[in-house]
Amino acid sequence: MADFEIKDLRASVEGRQILKGVSLAIDKGEVHAVMGPNGSGKSTLSHTLMGHPGYTVDGGEVTFKGQNVLELEPDERARLGMFLALQYPVVVPGISMTNFLRTALNAKRGYDGKDKSKQISPKDFRSMLKSELEVLHMDDSFLPRYINDGFSGGEKKRAEILQMAMLKPEIAILDETDSGLDIDSIKFVADAVNRMRGPDLGILIITHYTRILEFIKPDFVHVLVDGKFVLSGGPEVADRLEKTGYAEWGKEEPAQPQEVTT
Ligand code: ADP
Ligand code: MG
């Protein structure tokens, strides 16, 4: 059995079935890419895995560390070692980035406000933040600001990866972290992710475009169309998509960006 297993997952949104039986096995140390045209169910997969209340599980199983993930609350999934970088990060007025990162990190370490030995020291917290900010080419003026408040699209995506770097998950799902990023930002994000790659982390990169996969080389690529995987293989699957897009499944969408936006 793989470290993280999805079996025949079916899920619906607003009464409409979107995921129609998705199975995927991820071992730590592996990078899996899920590619698919718009509306194929990629974000439904990421939200369902993390326990978003707007998505209903109609069947199937998700197992991680011997636990039935689908029975856990989102925060319990996070404590277990799962992480989701959102496609559309939300603004949270009133909570600064620093406070959020420190509180999330302490919660993950099991600090409940009582046992101070579980708390990260201010010095360790600062040095950890500093080095991750550098890799992402973010300056520390982000830290006192409210979460994502007034951040550009690219800054929001980098802030998601900053959270991942601080929380050190064991299974990370990146939902279109590359969309809306210019090429430099894609490289910074890829550098940060590549730094985290290793035997303790399994990664699921969800993307519409092949471009980020030039920088974060996947071990496996799966193509999601209309809520089902229609093709799985190695990195060559991404090469094939780069040439033909999603046309062979009746979708006219290219798998390469047509223009670079910032
Ligand atoms: P992708 O991420 O691959 O672009 P999504 O998973 O976001 O696709 O969406 C899959 C389908 O589910 C789309 O048809 C979309 O309109 C629908 N959908 C997603 N979220 C909602 C929602 N909150 N309410 C209604 N329909 C939704
Ligand atoms: Mg999406």
Side-chain angles (χ1 to χ4, degrees):
M1 190 168 177
D3 291 325
F4 185 82
E5 278 219 13
I6 305 169
K7 272 193 206 149
D8 198 26
L9 185 63
R10 280 163 284 132
S12 52
V13 189
E14 309 260 320
R16 211 175 104 217
Q17 189 165 42
I18 306 295
L19 295 185
K20 298 168 183 163
V22 168
S23 298
L24 185 60
I26 304 176
D27 271 322
K28 287 200 242 172
E30 293 175 350
V31 176
H32 290 250
V34 167
M35 298 196 61
N38 284 323
S40 57
K42 302 185 297 298
S43 293
T44 301
L45 176 63
S46 74
H47 288 145
T48 304
L49 290 177
M50 213 59 209
H52 189 300
Y55 297 76
T56 310
V57 175
D58 301 314
E61 290 169 30
V62 180
T63 322
F64 181 43
K65 294 184 178 172
Q67 298 225 39
N68 176 356
V69 167
L70 298 175
E71 280 180 349
L72 304 177
E73 294 298 321
D75 68 299
E76 294 172 318
R77 300 182 200 206
R79 279 180 232 267
L80 196 62
M82 293 175 61
F83 177 85
L84 168 63
L86 292 166
Q87 178 174 6
Y88 301 110
V90 285
V91 177
V92 187
I95 302 176
S96 72
M97 284 295 292
T98 320
N99 252 329
F100 169 61
L101 289 168
R102 189 190 295 111
T103 308
L105 187 56
N106 277 329
K108 179 114 192 294
R109 291 162 63 103
Y111 175 61
D112 55 2
K114 292 183 195 126
D115 181 357
K116 293 246 191 279
S117 69
K118 290 187 174 156
Q119 210 177 0
I120 187 163
S121 76
K123 187 166 166 269
D124 288 350
F125 179 70
R126 272 196 307 272
S127 75
M128 205 172 149
L129 251 182
K130 187 168 180 283
S131 84
E132 300 303 344
L133 283 168
E134 268 168 28
V135 179
L136 285 159
H137 293 243
M138 294 172 80
D139 67 71
D140 52 17
S141 64
F142 283 101
L143 299 174
R145 287 166 64 185
Y146 294 152
I147 301 169
N148 293 322
D149 190 19
F151 290 23
S152 72
E155 288 164 350
K156 285 182 186 168
K157 296 304 185 81
R158 280 186 271 165
E160 293 292 291
I161 300 303
L162 175 65
Q163 291 166 41
M164 173 180 166
M166 295 297 286
L167 293 173
K168 304 209 177 345
E170 292 161 67
I171 292 294
I173 305 158
L174 310 184
D175 192 354
E176 295 209 31
T177 299
D178 53 331
S179 66
L181 290 187
D182 58 28
I183 195 74
D184 285 335
S185 300
I186 288 187
K187 284 181 186 158
F188 303 149
V189 162
D191 282 348
V193 172
N194 285 328
R195 239 164 70 108
M196 293 180 242
R197 264 181 104 151
D200 299 325
L201 174 64
I203 302 178
L204 185 62
I205 299 187
I206 295 175
T207 181
H208 183 103
Y209 296 119
T210 53
R211 190 170 56 183
I212 194 169
L213 305 180
E214 291 166 28
F215 305 107
I216 305 172
K217 300 274 179 210
D219 302 297
F220 304 94
V221 178
H222 314 271
V223 185
L224 187 72
V225 177
D226 295 333
K228 273 193 197 152
F229 286 139
V230 291
L231 177 67
S232 286
E236 75 284 353
V237 171
D239 299 337
R240 177 164 149 193
L241 286 179
E242 191 170 325
K243 292 190 191 88
T244 58
Y246 299 102
E248 59 187 288
W249 297 284
K251 313 275 171 183
E252 289 309 313
E253 294 172 49
Q256 281 189 83
Q258 300 304 287
E259 59 188 296
V260 174
T261 53
T262 49

